[in-house]
Amino acid sequence: DAGITQSPRHKVTETGTPVTLRCHQTENHRYMYWYRQDPGHGLRLIHYSYGVKDTDKGEVSDGYSVSRSKTEDFLLTLESATSSQTSVYFCAISIAQTGAEAFFGQGTRLTVV
Amino acid sequence: QQQVKQSPQSLIVQKGGISIINCAYENTAFDYFPWYQQFPGKGPALLIAIRPDVSEKKEGRFTISFNKSAKQFSLHIMDSQPGDSATYFCAASILNTGNQFYFGTGTSLTVIP
């Protein structure tokens, strides 16, 4: 698992509530990513980070924000959850300096009701 | 739009047969092409990857064939086994930018005993 821990693993929340997902890595890898996985879409990048306080948007960033105040933690926040954000969320890290060799966490299944 | 197009969506192969999954891309700046394997309830796991300076890479029963001029690459699973039944994703990225991985939509492989 390359030392990646996602929490929580499952969550059910109500529409309009804020939700924060956490990704923790045990190594000091530079690159971290948040993806969502939906049937028929594969994995789509939400946000990524290339260092502490250095983050950028991916292709499906609307409705999401991220923060990285420490190398080991990358937080994904849904400011006001909507049903369209029901998905499985994966955190990934890249262990190579080139940005290659991405390793994924176990995922968080989020249901917005 | 989908940066990486993957086919087929699903594949059924007899044990011992060859499984072939195809992907195509448009962005000629991509220089890293990994394949991921995902079992139900798990995160995707890096299976094998190729750079565009080689046309083929083999690791055990898994082979990537890469056609730079056609902007296509494929995964071949030789002597397919029931344990290979999983979802496979191709991806593409640009190294040294910390940039995002663009994933295909996935292929669900079932190997029949």
Side-chain angles (χ1 to χ4, degrees), chain A residues 51-69:
Chain A
V52 173
K53 298 193 188 317
D54 289 326
T55 65
D56 208 346
K57 297 179 180 180
E59 59 183 312
V60 290
S61 59
D62 287 348
Y64 302 94
S65 63
V66 290
S67 66
R68 193 170 179 195
S69 58

Side-chain angles (χ1 to χ4, degrees), chain B residues 16-33:
Chain B
I18 302 174
S19 304
I20 301 174
I21 305 170
N22 301 299
C23 285
Y25 64 97
E26 287 298 324
N27 188 348
T28 55
F30 289 143
D31 59 1
Y32 179 69
F33 302 90

Side-chain angles (χ1 to χ4, degrees), chain A residues 18-31:
Chain A
V19 178
T20 295
L21 308 182
R22 180 179 183 242
C23 178
H24 178 80
Q25 61 159 322
T26 57
E27 310 290 335
N28 289 324
H29 297 302
R30 179 182 178 190
Y31 300 119

Side-chain angles (χ1 to χ4, degrees), chain A residues 9 31 33 35 37 40-43 45 48 58-59 90 98-102 104-106, chain B residues 2 32 36 38 41-44 46 89 94-105:
Chain A
R9 293 293 313 280
Y31 300 119
Y33 311 84
Y35 287 87
Q37 183 175 30
H41 291 278
L43 293 120
L45 184 69
Y48 66 102
E59 59 183 312
F90 287 100
T98 56
E101 299 184 71
F104 286 79
Q106 293 293 303
Chain B
Q2 197 74 27
Y32 179 69
Y36 285 83
Q38 185 180 31
K42 302 293 186 182
L46 180 63
F89 293 94
I94 304 170
L95 293 177
N96 292 312
T97 63
N99 214 333
Q100 53 189 311
F101 289 79
Y102 292 93
F103 284 84
T105 51

Side-chain angles (χ1 to χ4, degrees), chain B residues 7-113:
Chain B
S7 64
Q9 183 176 346
S10 62
L11 182 62
I12 299 174
V13 173
Q14 292 281 350
K15 178 182 176 181
I18 302 174
S19 304
I20 301 174
I21 305 170
N22 301 299
C23 285
Y25 64 97
E26 287 298 324
N27 188 348
T28 55
F30 289 143
D31 59 1
Y32 179 69
F33 302 90
W35 284 90
Y36 285 83
Q37 179 188 57
Q38 185 180 31
F39 293 104
K42 302 293 186 182
L46 180 63
L47 187 63
I48 186 173
I50 197 168
R51 299 287 304 274
D53 52 347
V54 297
S55 60
E56 185 175 283
K57 184 174 182 179
K58 183 176 181 179
E59 290 184 2
R61 296 185 294 108
F62 300 91
T63 299
I64 300 178
S65 296
F66 186 83
N67 186 330
K68 188 175 182 178
S69 61
K71 293 184 286 187
Q72 295 175 347
F73 58 110
S74 61
L75 177 69
H76 296 237
I77 305 174
M78 312 299 289
D79 187 26
S80 298
Q81 299 297 312
D84 296 330
S85 297
T87 300
Y88 293 81
F89 293 94
C90 61
S93 72
I94 304 170
L95 293 177
N96 292 312
T97 63
N99 214 333
Q100 53 189 311
F101 289 79
Y102 292 93
F103 284 84
T105 51
T107 296
S108 177
L109 171 66
T110 302
V111 181
I112 300 172

